[in-house]
Amino acid sequence: MLRYSLKRLLSLGISLVVASLVIFAVIEVAPGDPARFMLGINAQPDTVAALRAELGLDVPKVQRYLAWVGGMLSGDFGISYTYRVPVGQMIADRMWVSLPLALMALTLSTVIALPVGLYAANRRGGRGDMAVMGLTQLGIAVPNFWFAMILVVIFAINLRWFSAGGFPGWDAGLLVGLKALTLPAVALALPQAAILSRVMRSALIDILSEDFMRTARAKGLTRQQALWRHGLRNALIPVLTIMGLQFSFLLAGAIIIEQVFFLPGLGRLVFQSISQRDLIVVESVVMLLVFAVIVVNFAVDLAYVAVDPRLRTQL
Amino acid sequence: MPQRFTARALTPVLALIATVSTASAAETDITIGMQLEPPHLDPTSAAAGAIDNVVYSNIFEGLTRFMGDGSVVPGLAKSWDISDDGLSYTFHLQGDVRFHDGSAMDAADVKFSLDRARAEDSTNAQKALFTGIADVAVIDPLTVVLTLEAPNGNLLFNLAWGDAVIVASETIETIKSNPVGTGAFRFVKWVQGDRIDLVRNGDYWGTAPALEGATFKFISDPTAAFAAMMAEDIDAFQTFPAPENLPQFDADPRFKLLIGSTEGETILSTNNKMPPFDNKLVRQALAHAIDRQAIIDGAMFGYGTPIGSHFAPHNPAYIDLTGNSVYDPAKAKALLAEAGFADGFTTTLKLPPPSYARRGGEIIAAQLRAVGINAEISNLEWAQWLEQVFRGKDYGLTIVSHTEPMDIGIYARPEYYFQYDNPAFQDLMTRLTATADPDQRRAMLQEAQTVISTDYVNGYLFQLAATSVAKTGVQGMWLNAPTQAIDLTGISWAD
């Protein structure tokens, strides 16, 4: 187990170094100059040069890369070119929106998907199963931003139960904050729930034909009891894999939903920073997302072991 | 069944969440939507119009200021004397003006602000406004003298820009995140990515505003902006980003449209040094190939005023020169043939993100194709546009709205991206700057409009309309946009 963990940590480290190089290279070659962007079309060349110097953009790229990586290692992400505040602080602020949103969406999709998948597998081929399959197919096909707009039309414009978007901040109260994140979380969660319930259903169906399930029934368990006690646990491995992927997607892929609901999250920060060529912010956020994905995958690997004792002996 | 259980369990939760109502705002506050968020809040070191929208006349004030009709009136300077040779301006400041931190605003702050803007290492995006100022001298706490190198008829106008506001040396270090000015509103809080809150300044030296507070909310997506207005989350939206939604607001009794004029001359910029556009006949052909009204109707849903030169129609010195470039495809073809391009040619049309450019570009490309010009469209982000088109001059045609007020002077800069180099025009602009007499200035401005119109420097399309939306009860918002600003001082709610 220790050797396994060390090996995983080493590969994690190498992945991060490679990722930082690729991110820096790709973002730095994009055309556009943050100083020119900020000063607009009437600025004189000497003014642009003065701002470039002030921002430290006149320093060679290699030196800037080393400063960026070195800073990150000591927890300093640098100063945003456009906003002129520490990038670390900006990311932390935005995390307070993006992370709860991702967690809410993940919880919601799990709470919906697991029972639905279980129900469908249990009634395989029946009318209920057909309905679930049809609805989940629709859920996968409908893009979440379109679904988001429909939610806004119904719940914000017509019923007036919710605001059309925006985030008042957690200091306005926990319930106020949760309320602001409800529609976005639903919009994010439903397509994910559709995918997850199908995975859950097919994993369970595979399990149902296994020998140990027949043995369980032979022992005298009802179909329901066998499914709950033995089926569910064995079906969790593929479900965990998908949930791990979904969490990274929810964190990074909420860009469009954050636009639709004008939420001040990480996705919107990246979007704004790219158009303003606030390169250091883009680099740091992307790096952080890479880090999050790698860590989540690492955690999922460990979770396999917890769910499936057989994997422990193989390590 | 699990499903029904889920639904039943969630219903009270949703209902509970839905009933947590945010306290309904009293009608002494206003929430105004804007598409772009300011990068920071220092109007003296960036070009972003979003900064001025928030701070101009609300937080920061200059010696002079613009009014909604474009006139320049006294601001922190209550009066001024101009020497007979036009080289010396003596400004008498308003007494008893305090910054929001309680410190007094005096002549030393004026000197600091102007010296900072024109310094060698200044990062003022409009540094050109201050060229020609030789010296700023403090006579006493309420008197400042500006000495010029040459007479400058634009000085009072230049000092009204957001880039020329008075800031304090004590708070300059933190101005970007915590602006401290002299205006009728104080900065309270900026939730980045979401909103900025302002509150009325109780110690304001001038007339107290009707509003007690204001919130600027940033919504970049046009569909989200529409939803936020419809849900009445916001009270007004400055320059609504989707003109196609305007008729819907107009038909809704809850809302009203505020349609005015901006300083944005929207033009088909042409690379005057790149063949074949170095040939005036080709540029003239372009001008006649374009149907302005079709572009206004198709790209702007009818909002916009046709222009025939680079000058705003609401300016008193404006003359209508659209007659120089009437839509006449046959004439355009004849001119192309005369220039040696009977079979047309291929060029690039590089479009920045705003809808006037993207939609207008499609229409213009179709109109040009009708006379044999093949304009290959490429869509660019602003940063790419600045790099390729503006700095690199690597383009044939592009569409941009030039939003700076009274910026016909850019045609006197041969290195400017459309690369128009006419010594006679440059000389005219030099003489204009040195002229203070209003009648002479008007005559010269009209001459300038005619020169660039008949030289067909660029394709002149339309003056961008200011298209804002507000709740019916909102009064006193600017209709026109003589500068980028959302002046809160005049806004109130109808009873």
Side-chain angles (χ1 to χ4, degrees), chain A residues 24 28 52-53 55-69 81 279 283:
Chain A
F24 190 83
E28 291 284 332
R52 283 183 63 84
L55 294 173
L57 284 165
D58 49 353
V59 175
K61 284 194 167 128
V62 177
Q63 215 173 315
R64 267 196 289 146
Y65 171 75
L66 292 176
W68 176 58
V69 172
Y81 295 148
L279 305 178
E283 287 159 1

PDB file of all heavy atoms in Angstrom, chain A residues 24 28 52-53 55-69 81 279 283:
ATOM      1  N   PHE A  24       1.736  26.942 -19.509  1.00  0.00           N
ATOM      2  CA  PHE A  24       2.458  28.199 -19.683  1.00  0.00           C
ATOM      3  C   PHE A  24       2.738  28.452 -21.166  1.00  0.00           C
ATOM      4  O   PHE A  24       2.480  29.538 -21.691  1.00  0.00           O
ATOM      5  CB  PHE A  24       3.765  28.174 -18.893  1.00  0.00           C
ATOM      6  CG  PHE A  24       4.454  29.500 -18.834  1.00  0.00           C
ATOM      7  CD1 PHE A  24       4.076  30.449 -17.880  1.00  0.00           C
ATOM      8  CD2 PHE A  24       5.466  29.826 -19.718  1.00  0.00           C
ATOM      9  CE1 PHE A  24       4.695  31.674 -17.817  1.00  0.00           C
ATOM     10  CE2 PHE A  24       6.086  31.069 -19.660  1.00  0.00           C
ATOM     11  CZ  PHE A  24       5.700  31.989 -18.701  1.00  0.00           C
ATOM     12  N   GLU A  28       1.021  31.491 -23.229  1.00  0.00           N
ATOM     13  CA  GLU A  28       1.905  32.597 -23.586  1.00  0.00           C
ATOM     14  C   GLU A  28       1.988  32.844 -25.090  1.00  0.00           C
ATOM     15  O   GLU A  28       2.286  33.949 -25.520  1.00  0.00           O
ATOM     16  CB  GLU A  28       3.316  32.362 -23.023  1.00  0.00           C
ATOM     17  CG  GLU A  28       3.387  32.445 -21.508  1.00  0.00           C
ATOM     18  CD  GLU A  28       3.330  33.881 -20.975  1.00  0.00           C
ATOM     19  OE1 GLU A  28       3.746  34.795 -21.687  1.00  0.00           O
ATOM     20  OE2 GLU A  28       2.858  34.058 -19.844  1.00  0.00           O
ATOM     21  N   ARG A  52       3.688  47.931 -19.356  1.00  0.00           N
ATOM     22  CA  ARG A  52       4.318  46.612 -19.459  1.00  0.00           C
ATOM     23  C   ARG A  52       5.420  46.462 -18.414  1.00  0.00           C
ATOM     24  O   ARG A  52       5.563  45.421 -17.785  1.00  0.00           O
ATOM     25  CB  ARG A  52       4.890  46.392 -20.865  1.00  0.00           C
ATOM     26  CG  ARG A  52       3.833  46.064 -21.916  1.00  0.00           C
ATOM     27  CD  ARG A  52       4.467  45.783 -23.277  1.00  0.00           C
ATOM     28  NE  ARG A  52       5.332  44.594 -23.240  1.00  0.00           N
ATOM     29  CZ  ARG A  52       4.887  43.362 -23.376  1.00  0.00           C
ATOM     30  NH1 ARG A  52       3.610  43.154 -23.595  1.00  0.00           N
ATOM     31  NH2 ARG A  52       5.716  42.345 -23.307  1.00  0.00           N
ATOM     32  N   ALA A  53       6.182  47.538 -18.249  1.00  0.00           N
ATOM     33  CA  ALA A  53       7.260  47.500 -17.258  1.00  0.00           C
ATOM     34  C   ALA A  53       6.679  47.362 -15.852  1.00  0.00           C
ATOM     35  O   ALA A  53       7.152  46.582 -15.031  1.00  0.00           O
ATOM     36  CB  ALA A  53       8.115  48.757 -17.374  1.00  0.00           C
ATOM     37  N   LEU A  55       3.941  45.984 -14.995  1.00  0.00           N
ATOM     38  CA  LEU A  55       3.367  44.653 -14.784  1.00  0.00           C
ATOM     39  C   LEU A  55       4.429  43.555 -14.777  1.00  0.00           C
ATOM     40  O   LEU A  55       4.128  42.402 -14.511  1.00  0.00           O
ATOM     41  CB  LEU A  55       2.348  44.341 -15.884  1.00  0.00           C
ATOM     42  CG  LEU A  55       1.086  45.194 -15.926  1.00  0.00           C
ATOM     43  CD1 LEU A  55       0.279  44.874 -17.158  1.00  0.00           C
ATOM     44  CD2 LEU A  55       0.252  44.982 -14.681  1.00  0.00           C
ATOM     45  N   GLY A  56       5.663  43.924 -15.137  1.00  0.00           N
ATOM     46  CA  GLY A  56       6.719  42.915 -15.199  1.00  0.00           C
ATOM     47  C   GLY A  56       6.641  42.073 -16.459  1.00  0.00           C
ATOM     48  O   GLY A  56       7.154  40.953 -16.515  1.00  0.00           O
ATOM     49  N   LEU A  57       5.994  42.591 -17.515  1.00  0.00           N
ATOM     50  CA  LEU A  57       5.849  41.824 -18.753  1.00  0.00           C
ATOM     51  C   LEU A  57       7.075  41.948 -19.650  1.00  0.00           C
ATOM     52  O   LEU A  57       7.163  41.272 -20.672  1.00  0.00           O
ATOM     53  CB  LEU A  57       4.614  42.304 -19.521  1.00  0.00           C
ATOM     54  CG  LEU A  57       3.274  41.836 -18.949  1.00  0.00           C
ATOM     55  CD1 LEU A  57       2.139  42.647 -19.541  1.00  0.00           C
ATOM     56  CD2 LEU A  57       3.071  40.361 -19.235  1.00  0.00           C
ATOM     57  N   ASP A  58       8.001  42.854 -19.292  1.00  0.00           N
ATOM     58  CA  ASP A  58       9.182  43.028 -20.132  1.00  0.00           C
ATOM     59  C   ASP A  58      10.290  42.040 -19.757  1.00  0.00           C
ATOM     60  O   ASP A  58      11.337  42.015 -20.368  1.00  0.00           O
ATOM     61  CB  ASP A  58       9.685  44.476 -20.057  1.00  0.00           C
ATOM     62  CG  ASP A  58       9.808  44.965 -18.618  1.00  0.00           C
ATOM     63  OD1 ASP A  58       9.379  44.226 -17.702  1.00  0.00           O
ATOM     64  OD2 ASP A  58      10.330  46.071 -18.411  1.00  0.00           O
ATOM     65  N   VAL A  59      10.007  41.196 -18.760  1.00  0.00           N
ATOM     66  CA  VAL A  59      10.977  40.189 -18.321  1.00  0.00           C
ATOM     67  C   VAL A  59      10.911  38.988 -19.272  1.00  0.00           C
ATOM     68  O   VAL A  59       9.835  38.654 -19.754  1.00  0.00           O
ATOM     69  CB  VAL A  59      10.612  39.751 -16.874  1.00  0.00           C
ATOM     70  CG1 VAL A  59      11.502  38.629 -16.386  1.00  0.00           C
ATOM     71  CG2 VAL A  59      10.668  40.938 -15.937  1.00  0.00           C
ATOM     72  N   PRO A  60      12.066  38.319 -19.583  1.00  0.00           N
ATOM     73  CA  PRO A  60      12.029  37.163 -20.489  1.00  0.00           C
ATOM     74  C   PRO A  60      11.092  36.056 -19.985  1.00  0.00           C
ATOM     75  O   PRO A  60      10.896  35.891 -18.781  1.00  0.00           O
ATOM     76  CB  PRO A  60      13.467  36.674 -20.485  1.00  0.00           C
ATOM     77  CG  PRO A  60      14.276  37.819 -20.047  1.00  0.00           C
ATOM     78  CD  PRO A  60      13.413  38.673 -19.188  1.00  0.00           C
ATOM     79  N   LYS A  61      10.555  35.286 -20.966  1.00  0.00           N
ATOM     80  CA  LYS A  61       9.530  34.289 -20.638  1.00  0.00           C
ATOM     81  C   LYS A  61      10.009  33.206 -19.675  1.00  0.00           C
ATOM     82  O   LYS A  61       9.280  32.812 -18.769  1.00  0.00           O
ATOM     83  CB  LYS A  61       9.022  33.625 -21.918  1.00  0.00           C
ATOM     84  CG  LYS A  61       8.097  34.551 -22.666  1.00  0.00           C
ATOM     85  CD  LYS A  61       7.313  33.849 -23.756  1.00  0.00           C
ATOM     86  CE  LYS A  61       6.250  34.781 -24.187  1.00  0.00           C
ATOM     87  NZ  LYS A  61       5.831  35.256 -25.253  1.00  0.00           N
ATOM     88  N   VAL A  62      11.261  32.722 -19.899  1.00  0.00           N
ATOM     89  CA  VAL A  62      11.779  31.643 -19.048  1.00  0.00           C
ATOM     90  C   VAL A  62      11.796  32.095 -17.590  1.00  0.00           C
ATOM     91  O   VAL A  62      11.354  31.385 -16.683  1.00  0.00           O
ATOM     92  CB  VAL A  62      13.203  31.246 -19.494  1.00  0.00           C
ATOM     93  CG1 VAL A  62      13.772  30.193 -18.566  1.00  0.00           C
ATOM     94  CG2 VAL A  62      13.190  30.765 -20.942  1.00  0.00           C
ATOM     95  N   GLN A  63      12.256  33.332 -17.413  1.00  0.00           N
ATOM     96  CA  GLN A  63      12.322  33.887 -16.069  1.00  0.00           C
ATOM     97  C   GLN A  63      10.927  33.996 -15.448  1.00  0.00           C
ATOM     98  O   GLN A  63      10.733  33.713 -14.270  1.00  0.00           O
ATOM     99  CB  GLN A  63      12.945  35.284 -16.171  1.00  0.00           C
ATOM    100  CG  GLN A  63      13.821  35.649 -14.999  1.00  0.00           C
ATOM    101  CD  GLN A  63      14.506  36.969 -15.286  1.00  0.00           C
ATOM    102  OE1 GLN A  63      15.022  37.198 -16.388  1.00  0.00           O
ATOM    103  NE2 GLN A  63      14.499  37.859 -14.313  1.00  0.00           N
ATOM    104  N   ARG A  64       9.954  34.392 -16.304  1.00  0.00           N
ATOM    105  CA  ARG A  64       8.592  34.520 -15.794  1.00  0.00           C
ATOM    106  C   ARG A  64       8.019  33.157 -15.407  1.00  0.00           C
ATOM    107  O   ARG A  64       7.303  33.024 -14.429  1.00  0.00           O
ATOM    108  CB  ARG A  64       7.685  35.208 -16.821  1.00  0.00           C
ATOM    109  CG  ARG A  64       7.616  36.702 -16.592  1.00  0.00           C
ATOM    110  CD  ARG A  64       6.460  37.310 -17.329  1.00  0.00           C
ATOM    111  NE  ARG A  64       6.716  37.311 -18.754  1.00  0.00           N
ATOM    112  CZ  ARG A  64       5.768  37.144 -19.670  1.00  0.00           C
ATOM    113  NH1 ARG A  64       4.534  36.940 -19.299  1.00  0.00           N
ATOM    114  NH2 ARG A  64       6.082  37.180 -20.947  1.00  0.00           N
ATOM    115  N   TYR A  65       8.349  32.126 -16.222  1.00  0.00           N
ATOM    116  CA  TYR A  65       7.866  30.774 -15.926  1.00  0.00           C
ATOM    117  C   TYR A  65       8.398  30.313 -14.571  1.00  0.00           C
ATOM    118  O   TYR A  65       7.662  29.833 -13.717  1.00  0.00           O
ATOM    119  CB  TYR A  65       8.285  29.798 -17.030  1.00  0.00           C
ATOM    120  CG  TYR A  65       7.995  28.356 -16.675  1.00  0.00           C
ATOM    121  CD1 TYR A  65       6.696  27.864 -16.717  1.00  0.00           C
ATOM    122  CD2 TYR A  65       9.007  27.488 -16.248  1.00  0.00           C
ATOM    123  CE1 TYR A  65       6.409  26.566 -16.366  1.00  0.00           C
ATOM    124  CE2 TYR A  65       8.735  26.182 -15.896  1.00  0.00           C
ATOM    125  CZ  TYR A  65       7.434  25.716 -15.957  1.00  0.00           C
ATOM    126  OH  TYR A  65       7.139  24.429 -15.606  1.00  0.00           O
ATOM    127  N   LEU A  66       9.723  30.511 -14.390  1.00  0.00           N
ATOM    128  CA  LEU A  66      10.348  30.053 -13.139  1.00  0.00           C
ATOM    129  C   LEU A  66       9.762  30.801 -11.945  1.00  0.00           C
ATOM    130  O   LEU A  66       9.483  30.214 -10.897  1.00  0.00           O
ATOM    131  CB  LEU A  66      11.862  30.234 -13.210  1.00  0.00           C
ATOM    132  CG  LEU A  66      12.549  29.304 -14.224  1.00  0.00           C
ATOM    133  CD1 LEU A  66      14.034  29.611 -14.321  1.00  0.00           C
ATOM    134  CD2 LEU A  66      12.326  27.840 -13.854  1.00  0.00           C
ATOM    135  N   ALA A  67       9.529  32.093 -12.140  1.00  0.00           N
ATOM    136  CA  ALA A  67       8.964  32.886 -11.043  1.00  0.00           C
ATOM    137  C   ALA A  67       7.550  32.392 -10.704  1.00  0.00           C
ATOM    138  O   ALA A  67       7.176  32.293  -9.537  1.00  0.00           O
ATOM    139  CB  ALA A  67       8.920  34.367 -11.425  1.00  0.00           C
ATOM    140  N   TRP A  68       6.803  32.042 -11.759  1.00  0.00           N
ATOM    141  CA  TRP A  68       5.417  31.579 -11.554  1.00  0.00           C
ATOM    142  C   TRP A  68       5.399  30.262 -10.791  1.00  0.00           C
ATOM    143  O   TRP A  68       4.727  30.112  -9.773  1.00  0.00           O
ATOM    144  CB  TRP A  68       4.750  31.439 -12.929  1.00  0.00           C
ATOM    145  CG  TRP A  68       3.360  30.877 -12.898  1.00  0.00           C
ATOM    146  CD1 TRP A  68       2.288  31.369 -12.230  1.00  0.00           C
ATOM    147  CD2 TRP A  68       2.900  29.701 -13.591  1.00  0.00           C
ATOM    148  NE1 TRP A  68       1.189  30.589 -12.463  1.00  0.00           N
ATOM    149  CE2 TRP A  68       1.533  29.564 -13.292  1.00  0.00           C
ATOM    150  CE3 TRP A  68       3.505  28.777 -14.447  1.00  0.00           C
ATOM    151  CZ2 TRP A  68       0.767  28.523 -13.809  1.00  0.00           C
ATOM    152  CZ3 TRP A  68       2.736  27.750 -14.966  1.00  0.00           C
ATOM    153  CH2 TRP A  68       1.386  27.629 -14.646  1.00  0.00           C
ATOM    154  N   VAL A  69       6.212  29.276 -11.275  1.00  0.00           N
ATOM    155  CA  VAL A  69       6.241  27.961 -10.625  1.00  0.00           C
ATOM    156  C   VAL A  69       6.783  28.081  -9.202  1.00  0.00           C
ATOM    157  O   VAL A  69       6.209  27.531  -8.256  1.00  0.00           O
ATOM    158  CB  VAL A  69       7.085  26.970 -11.456  1.00  0.00           C
ATOM    159  CG1 VAL A  69       7.281  25.687 -10.685  1.00  0.00           C
ATOM    160  CG2 VAL A  69       6.388  26.684 -12.785  1.00  0.00           C
ATOM    161  N   TYR A  81      -2.816  40.777 -13.602  1.00  0.00           N
ATOM    162  CA  TYR A  81      -2.429  41.946 -14.406  1.00  0.00           C
ATOM    163  C   TYR A  81      -3.548  42.985 -14.436  1.00  0.00           C
ATOM    164  O   TYR A  81      -3.311  44.177 -14.329  1.00  0.00           O
ATOM    165  CB  TYR A  81      -2.133  41.530 -15.848  1.00  0.00           C
ATOM    166  CG  TYR A  81      -0.930  40.625 -16.000  1.00  0.00           C
ATOM    167  CD1 TYR A  81      -0.895  39.671 -17.010  1.00  0.00           C
ATOM    168  CD2 TYR A  81       0.163  40.743 -15.159  1.00  0.00           C
ATOM    169  CE1 TYR A  81       0.199  38.837 -17.163  1.00  0.00           C
ATOM    170  CE2 TYR A  81       1.258  39.917 -15.301  1.00  0.00           C
ATOM    171  CZ  TYR A  81       1.275  38.957 -16.308  1.00  0.00           C
ATOM    172  OH  TYR A  81       2.349  38.132 -16.460  1.00  0.00           O
ATOM    173  N   LEU A 279      -3.041  36.767 -18.288  1.00  0.00           N
ATOM    174  CA  LEU A 279      -2.442  35.443 -18.454  1.00  0.00           C
ATOM    175  C   LEU A 279      -2.153  34.739 -17.150  1.00  0.00           C
ATOM    176  O   LEU A 279      -2.368  33.543 -17.006  1.00  0.00           O
ATOM    177  CB  LEU A 279      -1.136  35.567 -19.260  1.00  0.00           C
ATOM    178  CG  LEU A 279      -1.297  36.254 -20.610  1.00  0.00           C
ATOM    179  CD1 LEU A 279       0.047  36.377 -21.303  1.00  0.00           C
ATOM    180  CD2 LEU A 279      -2.260  35.486 -21.486  1.00  0.00           C
ATOM    181  N   GLU A 283      -3.404  31.002 -16.250  1.00  0.00           N
ATOM    182  CA  GLU A 283      -2.433  29.934 -15.986  1.00  0.00           C
ATOM    183  C   GLU A 283      -2.657  29.311 -14.611  1.00  0.00           C
ATOM    184  O   GLU A 283      -2.682  28.086 -14.466  1.00  0.00           O
ATOM    185  CB  GLU A 283      -1.004  30.497 -16.075  1.00  0.00           C
ATOM    186  CG  GLU A 283      -0.578  30.784 -17.504  1.00  0.00           C
ATOM    187  CD  GLU A 283       0.574  31.782 -17.594  1.00  0.00           C
ATOM    188  OE1 GLU A 283       1.061  32.246 -16.536  1.00  0.00           O
ATOM    189  OE2 GLU A 283       0.969  32.103 -18.711  1.00  0.00           O
TER     190      GLU A 283
END
